[in-house]
Amino acid sequence: MIQANVVEIGPEAINEKEPMLILFNNTATTTLRNYSIIQEFLNKEPFKLESGKKIRFDEQEYTIEHVGTTANQNLETVGHVTLVFDEHQSDNTIVNGVYLNPYQLPEIHLGTQIYYQ
């Protein structure tokens, strides 16, 4: 299991009308930080997100329904992934997206712990 801590939330990062969250590590540019949640990993173990596995935000648990083709590589190298809280449609896939169920944004705040299981 990989654990990360939310250390920054951009002013445009959470929008109830857009069911997605963009995460980066601290290498994100100033412009990206406006639209992103910055996470700091507390451990660095090899991992691979796959359908059926879980992602948890504090006590809010989500099931992975689909993982885009570049999501694992980008998450490992620059801490970047787009978490999508909506149904996956194969004709409109975000290549860096991880599609999660339930289809509602989690409550996120500074200090939120993210667990990639």
mmCIF file of all heavy atoms in Angstrom, residues 16-59:
data_model
loop_
_atom_site.group_PDB
_atom_site.id
_atom_site.type_symbol
_atom_site.label_atom_id
_atom_site.label_comp_id
_atom_site.label_asym_id
_atom_site.label_seq_id
_atom_site.Cartn_x
_atom_site.Cartn_y
_atom_site.Cartn_z
ATOM 1 N N GLU A 16 -17.470 20.958 -8.002
ATOM 2 C CA GLU A 16 -18.570 19.987 -7.885
ATOM 3 C C GLU A 16 -19.187 19.631 -9.239
ATOM 4 O O GLU A 16 -19.762 18.565 -9.397
ATOM 5 C CB GLU A 16 -19.652 20.519 -6.943
ATOM 6 C CG GLU A 16 -19.197 20.686 -5.507
ATOM 7 C CD GLU A 16 -18.836 19.366 -4.831
ATOM 8 O OE1 GLU A 16 -19.458 18.332 -5.127
ATOM 9 O OE2 GLU A 16 -17.921 19.375 -3.998
ATOM 10 N N LYS A 17 -19.056 20.511 -10.238
ATOM 11 C CA LYS A 17 -19.628 20.244 -11.559
ATOM 12 C C LYS A 17 -18.734 19.365 -12.415
ATOM 13 O O LYS A 17 -19.163 18.826 -13.418
ATOM 14 C CB LYS A 17 -19.907 21.559 -12.285
ATOM 15 C CG LYS A 17 -20.978 22.383 -11.592
ATOM 16 C CD LYS A 17 -21.210 23.692 -12.291
ATOM 17 C CE LYS A 17 -22.238 24.498 -11.520
ATOM 18 N NZ LYS A 17 -22.435 25.821 -12.091
ATOM 19 N N GLU A 18 -17.457 19.241 -12.048
ATOM 20 C CA GLU A 18 -16.495 18.390 -12.756
ATOM 21 C C GLU A 18 -16.100 17.253 -11.823
ATOM 22 O O GLU A 18 -15.370 17.476 -10.860
ATOM 23 C CB GLU A 18 -15.246 19.192 -13.155
ATOM 24 C CG GLU A 18 -15.463 20.139 -14.287
ATOM 25 C CD GLU A 18 -15.681 19.441 -15.609
ATOM 26 O OE1 GLU A 18 -15.159 18.328 -15.813
ATOM 27 O OE2 GLU A 18 -16.380 20.013 -16.452
ATOM 28 N N PRO A 19 -16.549 16.046 -12.088
ATOM 29 C CA PRO A 19 -16.294 14.939 -11.161
ATOM 30 C C PRO A 19 -14.878 14.359 -11.301
ATOM 31 O O PRO A 19 -14.701 13.170 -11.565
ATOM 32 C CB PRO A 19 -17.357 13.917 -11.552
ATOM 33 C CG PRO A 19 -17.542 14.140 -13.022
ATOM 34 C CD PRO A 19 -17.369 15.629 -13.224
ATOM 35 N N MET A 20 -13.864 15.235 -11.130
ATOM 36 C CA MET A 20 -12.496 14.735 -11.223
ATOM 37 C C MET A 20 -11.574 15.564 -10.350
ATOM 38 O O MET A 20 -11.865 16.718 -10.032
ATOM 39 C CB MET A 20 -12.001 14.721 -12.668
ATOM 40 C CG MET A 20 -11.876 16.069 -13.314
ATOM 41 S SD MET A 20 -11.187 16.014 -14.990
ATOM 42 C CE MET A 20 -12.353 14.995 -15.836
ATOM 43 N N LEU A 21 -10.462 14.935 -9.973
ATOM 44 C CA LEU A 21 -9.410 15.589 -9.212
ATOM 45 C C LEU A 21 -8.093 15.315 -9.917
ATOM 46 O O LEU A 21 -7.820 14.173 -10.298
ATOM 47 C CB LEU A 21 -9.346 15.048 -7.782
ATOM 48 C CG LEU A 21 -10.593 15.233 -6.917
ATOM 49 C CD1 LEU A 21 -10.415 14.505 -5.586
ATOM 50 C CD2 LEU A 21 -10.874 16.718 -6.687
ATOM 51 N N ILE A 22 -7.282 16.342 -10.074
ATOM 52 C CA ILE A 22 -5.970 16.203 -10.697
ATOM 53 C C ILE A 22 -4.933 16.258 -9.586
ATOM 54 O O ILE A 22 -4.884 17.239 -8.833
ATOM 55 C CB ILE A 22 -5.740 17.319 -11.730
ATOM 56 C CG1 ILE A 22 -6.811 17.245 -12.817
ATOM 57 C CG2 ILE A 22 -4.334 17.220 -12.313
ATOM 58 C CD1 ILE A 22 -6.843 18.441 -13.742
ATOM 59 N N LEU A 23 -4.126 15.219 -9.488
ATOM 60 C CA LEU A 23 -3.102 15.150 -8.457
ATOM 61 C C LEU A 23 -1.711 15.202 -9.073
ATOM 62 O O LEU A 23 -1.491 14.645 -10.150
ATOM 63 C CB LEU A 23 -3.241 13.854 -7.644
ATOM 64 C CG LEU A 23 -4.325 13.838 -6.576
ATOM 65 C CD1 LEU A 23 -5.708 13.791 -7.172
ATOM 66 C CD2 LEU A 23 -4.130 12.659 -5.660
ATOM 67 N N PHE A 24 -0.806 15.877 -8.378
ATOM 68 C CA PHE A 24 0.606 15.944 -8.740
ATOM 69 C C PHE A 24 1.424 15.866 -7.461
ATOM 70 O O PHE A 24 0.899 16.114 -6.374
ATOM 71 C CB PHE A 24 0.951 17.284 -9.419
ATOM 72 C CG PHE A 24 0.727 17.322 -10.891
ATOM 73 C CD1 PHE A 24 -0.445 17.845 -11.414
ATOM 74 C CD2 PHE A 24 1.691 16.863 -11.768
ATOM 75 C CE1 PHE A 24 -0.657 17.910 -12.778
ATOM 76 C CE2 PHE A 24 1.493 16.919 -13.140
ATOM 77 C CZ PHE A 24 0.323 17.437 -13.639
ATOM 78 N N ASN A 25 2.723 15.604 -7.616
ATOM 79 C CA ASN A 25 3.621 15.774 -6.481
ATOM 80 C C ASN A 25 4.126 17.216 -6.512
ATOM 81 O O ASN A 25 3.643 18.041 -7.286
ATOM 82 C CB ASN A 25 4.755 14.734 -6.481
ATOM 83 C CG ASN A 25 5.726 14.870 -7.645
ATOM 84 O OD1 ASN A 25 5.781 15.883 -8.341
ATOM 85 N ND2 ASN A 25 6.500 13.831 -7.875
ATOM 86 N N ASN A 26 5.117 17.542 -5.702
ATOM 87 C CA ASN A 26 5.551 18.930 -5.579
ATOM 88 C C ASN A 26 6.339 19.461 -6.773
ATOM 89 O O ASN A 26 6.783 20.599 -6.759
ATOM 90 C CB ASN A 26 6.345 19.139 -4.290
ATOM 91 C CG ASN A 26 7.585 18.281 -4.235
ATOM 92 O OD1 ASN A 26 7.967 17.640 -5.211
ATOM 93 N ND2 ASN A 26 8.225 18.263 -3.085
ATOM 94 N N THR A 27 6.476 18.675 -7.853
ATOM 95 C CA THR A 27 7.148 19.167 -9.056
ATOM 96 C C THR A 27 6.196 19.937 -9.977
ATOM 97 O O THR A 27 6.633 20.471 -10.990
ATOM 98 C CB THR A 27 7.787 18.010 -9.859
ATOM 99 O OG1 THR A 27 6.754 17.123 -10.296
ATOM 100 C CG2 THR A 27 8.817 17.252 -9.028
ATOM 101 N N ALA A 28 4.932 20.020 -9.633
ATOM 102 C CA ALA A 28 3.947 20.714 -10.477
ATOM 103 C C ALA A 28 4.299 22.193 -10.620
ATOM 104 O O ALA A 28 4.748 22.830 -9.658
ATOM 105 C CB ALA A 28 2.550 20.562 -9.889
ATOM 106 N N THR A 29 4.074 22.723 -11.810
ATOM 107 C CA THR A 29 4.324 24.139 -12.061
ATOM 108 C C THR A 29 3.302 25.004 -11.324
ATOM 109 O O THR A 29 2.249 24.511 -10.886
ATOM 110 C CB THR A 29 4.237 24.448 -13.560
ATOM 111 O OG1 THR A 29 2.880 24.221 -13.990
ATOM 112 C CG2 THR A 29 5.204 23.599 -14.362
ATOM 113 N N THR A 30 3.571 26.277 -11.234
ATOM 114 C CA THR A 30 2.658 27.215 -10.577
ATOM 115 C C THR A 30 1.279 27.182 -11.223
ATOM 116 O O THR A 30 0.259 27.166 -10.538
ATOM 117 C CB THR A 30 3.237 28.645 -10.624
ATOM 118 O OG1 THR A 30 4.520 28.627 -9.996
ATOM 119 C CG2 THR A 30 2.347 29.636 -9.912
ATOM 120 N N THR A 31 1.238 27.168 -12.547
ATOM 121 C CA THR A 31 -0.047 27.133 -13.254
ATOM 122 C C THR A 31 -0.810 25.858 -12.941
ATOM 123 O O THR A 31 -2.015 25.891 -12.658
ATOM 124 C CB THR A 31 0.173 27.261 -14.775
ATOM 125 O OG1 THR A 31 0.861 28.488 -15.030
ATOM 126 C CG2 THR A 31 -1.144 27.258 -15.519
ATOM 127 N N LEU A 32 -0.138 24.709 -12.979
ATOM 128 C CA LEU A 32 -0.796 23.435 -12.666
ATOM 129 C C LEU A 32 -1.310 23.404 -11.236
ATOM 130 O O LEU A 32 -2.362 22.830 -10.958
ATOM 131 C CB LEU A 32 0.158 22.268 -12.893
ATOM 132 C CG LEU A 32 0.464 21.915 -14.344
ATOM 133 C CD1 LEU A 32 1.552 20.855 -14.414
ATOM 134 C CD2 LEU A 32 -0.785 21.444 -15.056
ATOM 135 N N ARG A 33 -0.585 24.015 -10.329
ATOM 136 C CA ARG A 33 -0.993 24.017 -8.915
ATOM 137 C C ARG A 33 -2.356 24.683 -8.706
ATOM 138 O O ARG A 33 -3.074 24.336 -7.778
ATOM 139 C CB ARG A 33 0.071 24.698 -8.046
ATOM 140 C CG ARG A 33 1.308 23.864 -7.867
ATOM 141 C CD ARG A 33 2.392 24.633 -7.098
ATOM 142 N NE ARG A 33 3.606 23.864 -7.020
ATOM 143 C CZ ARG A 33 3.937 23.072 -6.005
ATOM 144 N NH1 ARG A 33 3.140 22.941 -4.970
ATOM 145 N NH2 ARG A 33 5.068 22.398 -6.025
ATOM 146 N N ASN A 34 -2.722 25.617 -9.564
ATOM 147 C CA ASN A 34 -4.035 26.256 -9.443
ATOM 148 C C ASN A 34 -5.173 25.264 -9.607
ATOM 149 O O ASN A 34 -6.251 25.438 -9.048
ATOM 150 C CB ASN A 34 -4.187 27.375 -10.479
ATOM 151 C CG ASN A 34 -3.377 28.588 -10.141
ATOM 152 O OD1 ASN A 34 -3.190 28.918 -8.978
ATOM 153 N ND2 ASN A 34 -2.869 29.253 -11.161
ATOM 154 N N TYR A 35 -4.945 24.216 -10.394
ATOM 155 C CA TYR A 35 -5.993 23.249 -10.734
ATOM 156 C C TYR A 35 -5.757 21.871 -10.121
ATOM 157 O O TYR A 35 -6.454 20.921 -10.458
ATOM 158 C CB TYR A 35 -6.079 23.109 -12.263
ATOM 159 C CG TYR A 35 -6.369 24.419 -12.926
ATOM 160 C CD1 TYR A 35 -5.336 25.218 -13.413
ATOM 161 C CD2 TYR A 35 -7.676 24.879 -13.036
ATOM 162 C CE1 TYR A 35 -5.604 26.445 -14.001
ATOM 163 C CE2 TYR A 35 -7.945 26.104 -13.620
ATOM 164 C CZ TYR A 35 -6.911 26.884 -14.099
ATOM 165 O OH TYR A 35 -7.175 28.100 -14.669
ATOM 166 N N SER A 36 -4.764 21.774 -9.259
ATOM 167 C CA SER A 36 -4.337 20.458 -8.769
ATOM 168 C C SER A 36 -4.347 20.350 -7.256
ATOM 169 O O SER A 36 -4.304 21.342 -6.540
ATOM 170 C CB SER A 36 -2.913 20.163 -9.258
ATOM 171 O OG SER A 36 -2.850 20.204 -10.659
ATOM 172 N N ILE A 37 -4.339 19.097 -6.841
ATOM 173 C CA ILE A 37 -4.101 18.740 -5.450
ATOM 174 C C ILE A 37 -2.679 18.206 -5.405
ATOM 175 O O ILE A 37 -2.329 17.306 -6.179
ATOM 176 C CB ILE A 37 -5.123 17.696 -4.977
ATOM 177 C CG1 ILE A 37 -6.524 18.344 -4.957
ATOM 178 C CG2 ILE A 37 -4.737 17.129 -3.616
ATOM 179 C CD1 ILE A 37 -7.650 17.393 -4.743
ATOM 180 N N ILE A 38 -1.866 18.765 -4.528
ATOM 181 C CA ILE A 38 -0.472 18.354 -4.425
ATOM 182 C C ILE A 38 -0.370 17.317 -3.306
ATOM 183 O O ILE A 38 -0.801 17.555 -2.172
ATOM 184 C CB ILE A 38 0.457 19.556 -4.144
ATOM 185 C CG1 ILE A 38 0.261 20.635 -5.209
ATOM 186 C CG2 ILE A 38 1.912 19.098 -4.057
ATOM 187 C CD1 ILE A 38 0.527 20.198 -6.641
ATOM 188 N N GLN A 39 0.201 16.166 -3.673
ATOM 189 C CA GLN A 39 0.354 15.073 -2.711
ATOM 190 C C GLN A 39 1.834 14.810 -2.465
ATOM 191 O O GLN A 39 2.656 14.956 -3.363
ATOM 192 C CB GLN A 39 -0.341 13.810 -3.202
ATOM 193 C CG GLN A 39 0.173 13.269 -4.515
ATOM 194 C CD GLN A 39 -0.587 12.057 -4.983
ATOM 195 O OE1 GLN A 39 -1.227 11.357 -4.204
ATOM 196 N NE2 GLN A 39 -0.528 11.793 -6.274
ATOM 197 N N GLU A 40 2.129 14.438 -1.250
ATOM 198 C CA GLU A 40 3.495 14.086 -0.864
ATOM 199 C C GLU A 40 3.457 12.629 -0.400
ATOM 200 O O GLU A 40 2.740 12.289 0.544
ATOM 201 C CB GLU A 40 3.943 14.997 0.273
ATOM 202 C CG GLU A 40 5.340 14.763 0.751
ATOM 203 C CD GLU A 40 5.704 15.782 1.818
ATOM 204 O OE1 GLU A 40 6.132 16.885 1.439
ATOM 205 O OE2 GLU A 40 5.521 15.464 3.016
ATOM 206 N N PHE A 41 4.213 11.793 -1.091
ATOM 207 C CA PHE A 41 4.219 10.370 -0.752
ATOM 208 C C PHE A 41 5.016 10.128 0.517
ATOM 209 O O PHE A 41 6.104 10.682 0.695
ATOM 210 C CB PHE A 41 4.788 9.544 -1.914
ATOM 211 C CG PHE A 41 3.857 9.484 -3.090
ATOM 212 C CD1 PHE A 41 4.010 10.354 -4.158
ATOM 213 C CD2 PHE A 41 2.809 8.588 -3.109
ATOM 214 C CE1 PHE A 41 3.145 10.313 -5.237
ATOM 215 C CE2 PHE A 41 1.931 8.545 -4.178
ATOM 216 C CZ PHE A 41 2.098 9.411 -5.245
ATOM 217 N N LEU A 42 4.462 9.306 1.391
ATOM 218 C CA LEU A 42 5.117 9.000 2.655
ATOM 219 C C LEU A 42 5.983 7.755 2.559
ATOM 220 O O LEU A 42 6.812 7.512 3.423
ATOM 221 C CB LEU A 42 4.067 8.833 3.764
ATOM 222 C CG LEU A 42 3.153 10.051 3.955
ATOM 223 C CD1 LEU A 42 2.126 9.778 5.034
ATOM 224 C CD2 LEU A 42 3.955 11.301 4.270
ATOM 225 N N ASN A 43 5.778 6.971 1.519
ATOM 226 C CA ASN A 43 6.611 5.792 1.278
ATOM 227 C C ASN A 43 6.722 5.581 -0.222
ATOM 228 O O ASN A 43 5.869 6.019 -0.980
ATOM 229 C CB ASN A 43 6.050 4.549 1.984
ATOM 230 C CG ASN A 43 4.595 4.275 1.637
ATOM 231 O OD1 ASN A 43 3.922 5.076 1.010
ATOM 232 N ND2 ASN A 43 4.104 3.132 2.044
ATOM 233 N N LYS A 44 7.776 4.963 -0.639
ATOM 234 C CA LYS A 44 8.008 4.732 -2.069
ATOM 235 C C LYS A 44 8.228 3.243 -2.294
ATOM 236 O O LYS A 44 9.340 2.756 -2.246
ATOM 237 C CB LYS A 44 9.230 5.520 -2.543
ATOM 238 C CG LYS A 44 8.967 6.997 -2.725
ATOM 239 C CD LYS A 44 7.941 7.228 -3.789
ATOM 240 C CE LYS A 44 8.409 8.237 -4.795
ATOM 241 N NZ LYS A 44 7.455 8.488 -5.825
ATOM 242 N N GLU A 45 7.170 2.542 -2.508
ATOM 243 C CA GLU A 45 7.218 1.127 -2.842
ATOM 244 C C GLU A 45 6.714 0.972 -4.270
ATOM 245 O O GLU A 45 5.901 1.765 -4.722
ATOM 246 C CB GLU A 45 6.291 0.316 -1.929
ATOM 247 C CG GLU A 45 6.562 0.451 -0.463
ATOM 248 C CD GLU A 45 5.452 -0.217 0.361
ATOM 249 O OE1 GLU A 45 4.621 -0.953 -0.197
ATOM 250 O OE2 GLU A 45 5.419 0.041 1.559
ATOM 251 N N PRO A 46 7.177 -0.045 -4.967
ATOM 252 C CA PRO A 46 6.597 -0.303 -6.288
ATOM 253 C C PRO A 46 5.103 -0.643 -6.132
ATOM 254 O O PRO A 46 4.717 -1.341 -5.202
ATOM 255 C CB PRO A 46 7.373 -1.510 -6.804
ATOM 256 C CG PRO A 46 8.545 -1.656 -5.903
ATOM 257 C CD PRO A 46 8.216 -0.976 -4.620
ATOM 258 N N PHE A 47 4.290 -0.110 -7.026
ATOM 259 C CA PHE A 47 2.866 -0.419 -6.965
ATOM 260 C C PHE A 47 2.272 -0.303 -8.350
ATOM 261 O O PHE A 47 2.850 0.292 -9.249
ATOM 262 C CB PHE A 47 2.138 0.505 -5.988
ATOM 263 C CG PHE A 47 2.127 1.954 -6.404
ATOM 264 C CD1 PHE A 47 1.067 2.484 -7.115
ATOM 265 C CD2 PHE A 47 3.183 2.783 -6.086
ATOM 266 C CE1 PHE A 47 1.064 3.812 -7.498
ATOM 267 C CE2 PHE A 47 3.183 4.117 -6.461
ATOM 268 C CZ PHE A 47 2.119 4.623 -7.173
ATOM 269 N N LYS A 48 1.099 -0.885 -8.504
ATOM 270 C CA LYS A 48 0.391 -0.827 -9.774
ATOM 271 C C LYS A 48 -1.097 -0.755 -9.485
ATOM 272 O O LYS A 48 -1.661 -1.671 -8.889
ATOM 273 C CB LYS A 48 0.714 -2.051 -10.631
ATOM 274 C CG LYS A 48 0.078 -1.989 -11.999
ATOM 275 C CD LYS A 48 0.497 -3.154 -12.868
ATOM 276 C CE LYS A 48 -0.165 -3.042 -14.219
ATOM 277 N NZ LYS A 48 0.157 -4.163 -15.067
ATOM 278 N N LEU A 49 -1.724 0.332 -9.907
ATOM 279 C CA LEU A 49 -3.170 0.458 -9.765
ATOM 280 C C LEU A 49 -3.837 -0.412 -10.818
ATOM 281 O O LEU A 49 -3.423 -0.429 -11.972
ATOM 282 C CB LEU A 49 -3.593 1.913 -9.941
ATOM 283 C CG LEU A 49 -2.995 2.915 -8.954
ATOM 284 C CD1 LEU A 49 -3.490 4.317 -9.290
ATOM 285 C CD2 LEU A 49 -3.332 2.552 -7.529
ATOM 286 N N GLU A 50 -4.874 -1.137 -10.398
ATOM 287 C CA GLU A 50 -5.602 -2.035 -11.294
ATOM 288 C C GLU A 50 -7.084 -2.012 -10.949
ATOM 289 O O GLU A 50 -7.457 -1.709 -9.804
ATOM 290 C CB GLU A 50 -5.096 -3.477 -11.131
ATOM 291 C CG GLU A 50 -3.640 -3.666 -11.464
ATOM 292 C CD GLU A 50 -3.147 -5.075 -11.137
ATOM 293 O OE1 GLU A 50 -3.596 -5.650 -10.112
ATOM 294 O OE2 GLU A 50 -2.338 -5.600 -11.897
ATOM 295 N N SER A 51 -7.903 -2.373 -11.917
ATOM 296 C CA SER A 51 -9.339 -2.490 -11.672
ATOM 297 C C SER A 51 -9.574 -3.437 -10.507
ATOM 298 O O SER A 51 -8.911 -4.466 -10.378
ATOM 299 C CB SER A 51 -10.055 -3.026 -12.915
ATOM 300 O OG SER A 51 -9.917 -2.113 -13.977
ATOM 301 N N GLY A 52 -10.509 -3.046 -9.644
ATOM 302 C CA GLY A 52 -10.855 -3.863 -8.486
ATOM 303 C C GLY A 52 -10.106 -3.469 -7.222
ATOM 304 O O GLY A 52 -10.550 -3.789 -6.118
ATOM 305 N N LYS A 53 -8.965 -2.790 -7.372
ATOM 306 C CA LYS A 53 -8.241 -2.329 -6.185
ATOM 307 C C LYS A 53 -8.924 -1.084 -5.628
ATOM 308 O O LYS A 53 -9.872 -0.565 -6.211
ATOM 309 C CB LYS A 53 -6.776 -2.053 -6.519
ATOM 310 C CG LYS A 53 -5.989 -3.330 -6.787
ATOM 311 C CD LYS A 53 -4.512 -3.050 -6.893
ATOM 312 C CE LYS A 53 -3.732 -4.352 -7.030
ATOM 313 N NZ LYS A 53 -2.276 -4.092 -7.065
ATOM 314 N N LYS A 54 -8.426 -0.595 -4.496
ATOM 315 C CA LYS A 54 -9.072 0.507 -3.779
ATOM 316 C C LYS A 54 -8.165 1.722 -3.671
ATOM 317 O O LYS A 54 -6.940 1.604 -3.636
ATOM 318 C CB LYS A 54 -9.443 0.069 -2.351
ATOM 319 C CG LYS A 54 -10.248 -1.211 -2.258
ATOM 320 C CD LYS A 54 -11.658 -1.023 -2.684
ATOM 321 C CE LYS A 54 -12.432 -2.321 -2.482
ATOM 322 N NZ LYS A 54 -13.773 -2.233 -2.955
ATOM 323 N N ILE A 55 -8.795 2.890 -3.596
ATOM 324 C CA ILE A 55 -8.143 4.130 -3.213
ATOM 325 C C ILE A 55 -8.995 4.717 -2.099
ATOM 326 O O ILE A 55 -10.225 4.762 -2.203
ATOM 327 C CB ILE A 55 -8.024 5.127 -4.378
ATOM 328 C CG1 ILE A 55 -7.116 4.558 -5.473
ATOM 329 C CG2 ILE A 55 -7.470 6.466 -3.880
ATOM 330 C CD1 ILE A 55 -6.969 5.447 -6.691
ATOM 331 N N ARG A 56 -8.319 5.136 -1.028
ATOM 332 C CA ARG A 56 -9.044 5.668 0.126
ATOM 333 C C ARG A 56 -8.540 7.077 0.439
ATOM 334 O O ARG A 56 -7.349 7.346 0.386
ATOM 335 C CB ARG A 56 -8.831 4.742 1.332
ATOM 336 C CG ARG A 56 -9.894 4.873 2.368
ATOM 337 C CD ARG A 56 -9.750 3.829 3.450
ATOM 338 N NE ARG A 56 -8.704 4.262 4.373
ATOM 339 C CZ ARG A 56 -7.779 3.491 4.894
ATOM 340 N NH1 ARG A 56 -7.733 2.218 4.589
ATOM 341 N NH2 ARG A 56 -6.888 3.970 5.722
ATOM 342 N N PHE A 57 -9.479 7.949 0.745
ATOM 343 C CA PHE A 57 -9.198 9.312 1.187
ATOM 344 C C PHE A 57 -9.669 9.377 2.628
ATOM 345 O O PHE A 57 -10.875 9.403 2.876
ATOM 346 C CB PHE A 57 -9.964 10.337 0.340
ATOM 347 C CG PHE A 57 -9.714 10.192 -1.134
ATOM 348 C CD1 PHE A 57 -10.466 9.304 -1.898
ATOM 349 C CD2 PHE A 57 -8.712 10.915 -1.756
ATOM 350 C CE1 PHE A 57 -10.233 9.159 -3.251
ATOM 351 C CE2 PHE A 57 -8.474 10.772 -3.110
ATOM 352 C CZ PHE A 57 -9.231 9.890 -3.859
ATOM 353 N N ASP A 58 -8.728 9.361 3.572
ATOM 354 C CA ASP A 58 -9.058 9.202 4.988
ATOM 355 C C ASP A 58 -9.937 7.945 5.113
ATOM 356 O O ASP A 58 -9.474 6.865 4.808
ATOM 357 C CB ASP A 58 -9.699 10.462 5.567
ATOM 358 C CG ASP A 58 -8.723 11.630 5.623
ATOM 359 O OD1 ASP A 58 -7.507 11.399 5.797
ATOM 360 O OD2 ASP A 58 -9.167 12.785 5.493
ATOM 361 N N GLU A 59 -11.195 8.088 5.472
ATOM 362 C CA GLU A 59 -12.066 6.912 5.644
ATOM 363 C C GLU A 59 -13.014 6.697 4.465
ATOM 364 O O GLU A 59 -13.886 5.829 4.516
ATOM 365 C CB GLU A 59 -12.875 7.041 6.941
ATOM 366 C CG GLU A 59 -12.020 7.140 8.187
ATOM 367 C CD GLU A 59 -11.054 5.969 8.344
ATOM 368 O OE1 GLU A 59 -11.465 4.809 8.129
ATOM 369 O OE2 GLU A 59 -9.878 6.214 8.673
#
